[in-house]
């Protein structure tokens, strides 16, 4: 089920944590068109936002969007695209009140006791692709196009989308700006370490939770088949 990830060792989770300076897994993600973002004017589709619009962030309240980038991605079944297929998040899987799709490398802020045990901080950012199998989260089929909207702020921010899911928006910096950044408040896991954590989360919940239940709802995909 999880054969594209290799669990390298039994070392503590904390050894896999990194900072934004080392971050590769979350890249420069974008929200798929139709994703609702919390703003000063209420919930608005990501594609309708403009620079200067005020967006609700997890740590800093309302912050202005500095830049909005729009692009269309086409994913076919070639190897380099297969790992970037969208990730389906059922309703309530991560606090979201509506089902949605996320780009595979979109960072998601999660809270879990396993993180608290490893770091003394229950929060960390993981790439959406690492969450497959957790609370019904799954990967999309191939042969899709995705209209993406990337929001940038003056610094790294976590924003509210779909009434509760917390999505990571890294600041768009060049190498000089990034090197000058004095630390980062968000702990970001690489893909392998994030996957190890999620497998442990799934294992822990399966131990305590009866196997009857389904998680989340169903909704029309927010991308179009090519």
């Amino acid at each position: 089920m999880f054969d594209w990830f290799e669990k390298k060792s039994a070392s503590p989770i904390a050894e896999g944590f990194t900072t934004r300076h080392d971050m590769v897994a979350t890249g420069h993600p974008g929200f798929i068109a139709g994703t609702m973002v919390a703003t000063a004017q209420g919930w608005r589709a990501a594609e309708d936002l403009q620079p200067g619009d005020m967006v609700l962030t997890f740590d800093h309240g309302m912050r202005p969007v500095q830049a909005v980038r729009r692009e269309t991605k086409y994913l076919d079944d070639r190897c380099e695209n297969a790992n970037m297929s969208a990730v389906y998040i059922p309703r309530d899987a991560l606090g979201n009140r509506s089902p949605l799709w996320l780009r595979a490398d979109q960072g998601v802020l999660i809270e879990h006791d396993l993180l608290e045990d490893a770091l003394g901080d229950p929060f960390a950012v993981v790439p959406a692709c690492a969450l497959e199998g957790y609370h019904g989260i799954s990967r999309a089929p191939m042969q899709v196009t995705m209209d993406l909207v990337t929001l940038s702020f003056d610094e790294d921010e976590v924003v509210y989308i779909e009434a509760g899911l917390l999505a990571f928006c890294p600041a768009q910096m060049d190498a000089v700006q990034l090197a000058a950044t004095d630390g980062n408040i968000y702990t970001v896991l690489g893909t392998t370490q994030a996957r190890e954590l999620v497998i442990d989360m799934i294992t822990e919940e399966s131990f305590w939770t009866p196997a009857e239940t389904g998680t989340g709802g169903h909704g029309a995909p927010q991308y179009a088949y090519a």
Side-chain angles (χ1 to χ4, degrees):
M1 180 178 179
F2 308 130
D3 55 352
W4 72 95
F5 284 98
E6 178 183 1
K7 190 164 186 176
K8 293 184 177 179
S9 71
S11 60
I13 294 174
E15 294 183 8
F17 288 96
T18 183
T19 67
R20 189 184 188 285
H21 296 274
D22 307 316
M23 186 179 69
V24 175
T26 57
H28 295 288
F31 298 136
I32 296 174
T35 300
M36 303 302 289
V37 180
T39 76
Q41 289 75 44
W43 294 98
R44 296 177 60 192
E47 64 269 26
D48 294 335
L49 297 179
Q50 301 293 333
D53 285 342
M54 301 298 288
V55 169
L56 181 61
T57 69
F58 183 62
D59 287 288
H60 304 124
M62 291 292 176
R63 284 292 173 94
V65 176
Q66 294 302 316
V68 180
R69 186 179 71 209
R70 297 172 177 84
E71 59 182 325
T72 298
K73 290 285 187 181
Y74 175 76
L75 304 181
D76 58 27
D77 57 3
R78 291 176 298 174
C79 179
E80 62 267 28
N81 286 328
N83 289 332
M84 292 307 300
S85 59
V87 176
Y88 177 63
I89 313 291
R91 184 182 66 242
D92 296 328
L94 297 173
N96 49 302
R97 295 182 185 175
S98 300
L100 75 154
W101 296 87
L102 292 178
R103 179 169 159 153
D105 58 352
Q106 172 61 54
V108 177
L109 187 70
I110 62 171
E111 178 181 10
H112 202 277
D113 290 344
L114 291 175
L115 293 167
E116 179 81 42
D117 294 341
L119 285 184
D121 182 350
F123 295 98
V125 174
V126 303
C129 60
L131 291 163
E132 184 170 4
Y134 182 67
H135 290 182
I137 295 171
S138 59
R139 295 294 285 267
M142 288 290 93
Q143 303 291 343
V144 299
T145 59
M146 292 190 294
D147 292 322
L148 300 173
V149 182
T150 302
L151 306 180
S152 299
F153 299 85
D154 280 337
E155 57 186 318
D156 295 349
E157 297 288 0
V158 167
V159 304
Y160 290 85
I161 64 174
E162 297 296 345
L165 190 146
L166 296 167
F168 183 55
C169 294
Q172 305 299 300
M173 301 181 185
D174 60 30
V176 174
Q177 291 172 314
L178 187 58
T181 301
D182 184 18
N184 182 63
I185 64 172
Y186 301 110
T187 299
V188 180
L189 276 66
T191 305
T192 299
Q193 291 77 28
R195 188 59 190 164
E196 292 176 4
L197 170 66
V198 172
I199 290 172
D200 288 343
M201 290 163 58
I202 293 170
T203 301
E204 182 180 79
E205 292 193 7
S206 66
F207 180 79
W208 292 107
T209 305
E212 71 262 3
T213 157
T215 301
H218 301 280
Q222 296 171 352
Y223 59 75
Y225 282 92

